[in-house]
Amino acid sequence: MTVSEDEARRVAEGARQREWRGPSFARELFLGRFRPDLIHPRPEPDPEVARHGQEYLDRLRAFCERAIDGARIDREGRVPDEVVAGLREIGAFGMKIAPEYGGIGLNHLYYNRALALVGSASPAVGAMLSAHQSIGVPEPLKLFGTEEQKRAFLPRCARGEISAFLLTEPDVGSDPARLAATAERDGDSYLLDGVKLWTTNGVVADLLVVMAKVPDAGITAFVVEADSPGITVEHRNEFMGLRGLENGVTRLHRVRVPAVNRIGEEGEGLRIALTTLTTGRLAMPATCAAAGKWCLRVGREWSQARIQWGKPIARHEAIGSRLAFIAATTFAMEAVLDLVSELADEGGRDIRIEAAIAKLYGSEMAWRMADDLVQIRGGRGFETADSLVARGERGVPAEQLLRDLRIYRIFEGSSEIMRLLIAREAVDTHLKVAGGLIEPDSSLTEKRRALTSAGRFYARWLPSLAVGRGQLPLSYGDFHVSRHPNLAAHLRYVERAARRLARETFFAMSRWRGRLETKQRLLARVVDIGSELFVMTAACVHAERLRDQDDHGRQAYRLADVFCRQARQRVEALFAELMHNTDVADQALVRQLLEGDYRWLEEGILDPTAEGPWIADTTPGPATTPNVHRHIP
């Protein structure tokens, strides 16, 4: 299916949430406005909510310790049926579902802590639960479903009927304009046709959320019974990590779905999917933060026990620096997870950028920490846990963690797509006031109107970027505490860097105008700088909160201080790369590579690739292979 670049952009832009429904700390940050008052001080949690959440975490921990064997799941490539039954018994499939629909009713904070706990026992089990509740049937129905739909499906999901989310297709990833699955109206029903790929939970699902294109209306969302005639799970996919994931290829052929199962209106499916993912993405940084904690524990204990050249390897700077990175980054990741979860619970905030940063930053840093742990462990990091146990050593599954975490940089929006998504939201204000000047196909009238609007906005905005509180030596004094590291200095840096980032973004827009969207590496650096500044702020706020509660306050300040020092180094390097980089040379080389000029460089090897098309055939029609769907009793 061929779709023009302009059409693809229109579809993606049409699915965006146009208006900002509340304040956003991250949005203000990208505009050069450092507003810590939007996230500090944090309100005290509701004691009853905290008690309820902690009681459930205690039950869940006991179950995980008793029943979940992560090594077995990785070895056998399947979550045992008895584990699923046990999760159902303790209500794990309804953690995020309100009690009036049969669920546990955890808020975002405790739900994400629960996913972190389960994910530390088995990332595959954590992925099953999060795919079911964070993006499966419960979340879109909670946000967009009718009361009748909620009462029909949410109690089933809470009892443990597993749900899956079907959007991706063999030839459609982050370009939804090319979606090929169709839904044709037939009386009081729709007939669905298409093939869906990477359907997490799809192999064992009882209920599906399916995205399909209604003619003349657009992408639409439906709740579909997984055992409906015409649905075939053609293949269970196998991966390098998350080997217990029940992920497959699902074919739909003339599948009849009642119109009452449509979520929202026709054409709203992509908007529903993107809105669902705003908070749904927080499941990933929850697992990533848990992975950081495990890397820290194993790295600390191992680097104390391992002696080389007369002292523990942690005392050697080369290893100690990796351990310091893991500790400081784990603290910062937990700070971001808690902060964004609380903002989601508070309501009245627009956290689309904050949630996207949490997913992007968490997945990238968790991978780095897992890689560092493998390096710290040396040869033992490359060896499997089973092999270590067989020869009499502690079974540390470091290599499994590395395999499991790799997908998080791709799941629910690859890091590259997440950076573009964040960049689009970060420049939204500029596009609203000056879009007519930037877009090459704008009419003369639109350009004149935009010029007037932009003149008013930039006359006020640009001078505000010249000076700020970050230049005042005593500003943010709440974070300068006697006998503690000076976090106020880091917040002053964030304020100055935010204004600098806003200026650089404006200069880039002025230079590239409509072509800015093609400068993806420049946009990625802008996003990475903003992400670091956001995480630095979250770490400082988290440290001050712990200090105020007399809960490891001094240590928290130390962790935040070290993290901010490390982050500032990364920020300065990114600023330097904004204007001094190899982007032009890289793209020139890529063009020559695609033209075949360097095929000689590929000679002298054997290619183990199996023959076959790069992308599988997705022609609609009846299934020609057995159905590998299985129901978990």
Side-chain angles (χ1 to χ4, degrees):
M1 183 178 184
T2 302
V3 175
S4 70
E5 185 176 348
D6 287 342
E7 184 178 352
R9 186 189 302 111
R10 282 196 299 271
V11 170
E13 188 66 19
R16 279 187 64 252
Q17 179 180 307
R18 298 297 184 92
E19 300 302 321
W20 291 82
R21 298 177 180 174
S24 166
F25 172 82
R27 177 180 183 238
E28 294 293 308
L29 189 70
F30 278 105
L31 285 170
R33 303 164 180 161
F34 182 51
R35 294 282 309 280
D37 58 292
L38 292 176
I39 59 174
H40 173 76
R42 306 297 310 132
E44 290 299 317
D46 184 315
E48 181 58 27
V49 171
R51 184 194 62 78
H52 173 63
Q54 191 56 52
E55 284 180 356
Y56 187 77
L57 288 182
D58 292 341
R59 289 176 57 203
L60 186 62
R61 174 182 289 275
F63 173 81
C64 291
E65 291 175 342
R66 180 182 73 255
I68 297 181
D69 183 344
R72 176 190 172 189
I73 291 171
D74 183 70
R75 187 166 52 248
E76 298 179 357
R78 178 163 292 175
V79 178
D81 288 357
E82 60 268 23
V83 172
V84 176
L87 291 168
R88 286 170 173 161
E89 185 177 343
I90 64 170
F93 286 94
M95 290 187 293
K96 204 178 182 184
I97 297 174
E100 57 262 38
Y101 302 113
I104 300 297
L106 296 183
N107 63 6
H108 286 94
L109 179 65
Y110 281 94
Y111 170 69
N112 289 323
R113 288 180 178 177
L115 289 180
L117 180 61
V118 175
S120 66
S122 168
V125 176
M128 171 184 279
L129 293 176
S130 65
H132 165 73
Q133 292 171 89
S134 300
I135 60 174
V137 170
E139 189 66 10
L141 284 192
K142 173 186 174 182
L143 297 174
F144 298 98
T146 66
E147 185 59 30
E148 290 75 13
Q149 289 172 334
K150 293 176 183 178
R151 296 200 176 279
F153 297 113
L154 292 185
R156 294 172 57 183
C157 293
R159 289 194 299 268
E161 291 192 40
I162 300 172
S163 70
F165 178 75
L166 278 61
L167 171 62
T168 304
E169 298 176 1
D171 199 25
V172 180
S174 299
D175 183 8
R178 303 178 67 249
L179 198 77
T182 60
E184 296 183 2
R185 190 69 186 249
D186 183 36
D188 59 356
S189 300
Y190 291 85
L191 293 177
L192 273 60
D193 285 276
V195 178
K196 297 294 184 178
L197 176 63
W198 296 324
T199 58
T200 298
N201 288 354
V203 178
V204 296
D206 303 290
L207 292 169
L208 312 172
V209 175
V210 179
M211 297 290 168
K213 188 174 292 185
V214 174
D216 301 321
I219 298 172
T220 305
F222 301 90
V223 178
V224 182
E225 300 281 355
D227 60 357
S228 299
I231 295 182
T232 305
V233 179
E234 296 187 323
H235 178 71
R236 182 182 188 270
N237 301 317
E238 297 180 7
F239 303 105
M240 65 182 287
L242 292 184
R243 290 178 175 171
L245 205 64
E246 298 286 358
N247 180 296
V249 178
T250 301
R251 179 177 291 272
L252 302 99
H253 176 62
R254 310 299 286 172
V255 178
R256 186 170 294 277
V257 179
V260 294
N261 284 20
R262 186 188 68 220
I263 308 174
E265 299 299 323
E266 290 183 350
E268 291 187 339
L270 190 55
R271 182 175 68 88
I272 290 171
L274 293 177
T275 304
T276 297
L277 283 172
T278 294
T279 54
R281 285 193 177 103
L282 295 181
M284 288 194 194
T287 300
C288 292
K293 289 174 176 286
W294 186 79
C295 288
L296 178 59
R297 171 174 291 184
V298 171
R300 175 182 56 79
E301 292 180 353
W302 163 251
S303 59
Q304 284 179 313
R306 176 66 163 166
I307 306 297
Q308 293 285 275
W309 294 295
K311 57 184 177 182
I313 59 172
R315 300 290 183 182
H316 294 285
E317 194 173 87
I319 299 299
S321 62
R322 294 182 186 272
L323 201 58
F325 166 75
I326 292 173
T329 306
T330 296
F331 177 82
M333 285 171 57
E334 185 171 49
V336 169
L337 178 64
D338 282 4
L339 173 61
V340 182
S341 297
E342 289 173 348
L343 292 176
D345 287 327
E346 288 174 20
R349 305 294 186 96
D350 196 319
I351 62 167
R352 68 182 92 163
I353 298 181
E354 288 86 343
I357 289 176
K359 187 272 179 188
L360 170 65
Y361 199 86
S363 60
E364 289 289 324
M365 289 302 186
W367 167 257
R368 283 187 56 183
M369 288 190 289
D371 187 60
D372 275 356
L373 177 63
V374 168
Q375 193 69 21
I376 290 171
R377 289 274 292 160
R380 290 172 174 85
F382 194 66
E383 191 173 0
T384 68
D386 286 345
S387 177
L388 289 165
V389 170
R391 61 182 185 80
E393 290 193 1
R394 182 175 299 190
V396 178
E399 59 83 28
Q400 179 189 336
L401 181 71
L402 196 66
R403 289 188 284 104
D404 288 342
L405 286 177
R406 186 58 184 85
I407 189 58
Y408 287 94
R409 298 170 67 198
I410 300 171
F411 260 168
E412 295 178 22
S414 68
S415 293
E416 291 74 20
I417 292 299
M418 294 305 300
R419 288 186 174 98
L420 294 179
L421 183 153
I422 296 168
R424 172 59 187 86
E425 301 299 350
V427 300
D428 185 52
T429 298
H430 298 288
L431 294 180
K432 284 180 177 177
V433 301
L437 294 173
I438 296 172
E439 291 295 332
D441 56 351
S442 298
S443 67
L444 186 60
T445 300
E446 289 171 328
K447 288 184 182 295
R448 281 200 297 263
R449 188 181 302 119
L451 182 62
T452 301
S453 173
R456 286 196 300 264
F457 174 77
Y458 290 118
R460 296 189 305 270
W461 181 71
L462 285 172
S464 73
L465 302 181
V467 295
R469 289 186 65 194
Q471 294 166 288
L472 302 177
L474 300 180
S475 57
Y476 311 113
D478 290 352
F479 294 85
H480 190 183
V481 180
S482 176
R483 296 189 298 276
H484 288 66
N486 183 8
L487 299 187
H490 297 307
L491 295 183
R492 289 195 291 272
Y493 173 85
V494 171
E495 195 277 340
R496 297 193 303 273
R499 286 187 285 110
R500 180 183 177 188
L501 180 61
R503 293 194 299 268
E504 296 285 4
T505 303
F506 174 75
F507 295 150
M509 292 186 66
S510 302
R511 178 181 180 184
W512 301 108
R513 291 186 288 181
R515 290 186 294 156
L516 181 63
E517 67 179 31
T518 68
K519 303 300 178 182
Q520 295 179 354
R521 291 186 68 183
L522 183 149
L523 292 173
R525 295 181 188 105
V526 167
V527 168
D528 285 345
I529 292 170
S531 297
E532 292 283 6
L533 299 180
F534 170 65
V535 180
M536 287 174 66
T537 308
C540 292
V541 168
H542 191 53
E544 172 57 17
R545 186 183 201 180
L546 294 178
R547 186 199 67 82
D548 188 55
Q549 296 172 347
D550 196 26
D551 188 6
H552 308 293
R554 189 183 298 276
Q555 294 90 341
Y557 256 61
R558 173 60 63 192
L559 287 164
D561 175 60
V562 173
F563 172 79
C564 288
R565 291 174 184 273
Q566 294 172 354
R568 287 170 70 160
Q569 295 293 317
R570 295 190 290 266
V571 168
E572 289 302 313
L574 287 165
F575 269 127
E577 290 176 15
L578 281 176
M579 295 304 171
H580 303 284
N581 52 62
T582 63
D583 294 355
V584 174
D586 292 346
Q587 290 309 302
L589 177 59
V590 168
R591 286 192 294 271
Q592 295 172 333
L593 286 170
L594 297 180
E595 290 168 2
D597 293 353
Y598 292 89
R599 288 184 180 176
W600 56 268
L601 190 59
E602 302 165 8
E603 296 174 359
I605 62 168
L606 296 175
D607 185 354
T609 305
E611 291 297 323
W614 285 106
I615 299 172
D617 180 33
T618 59
T619 304
T624 59
T625 60
N627 189 358
V628 298
H629 178 271
R630 68 184 184 90
H631 174 71
I632 301 179

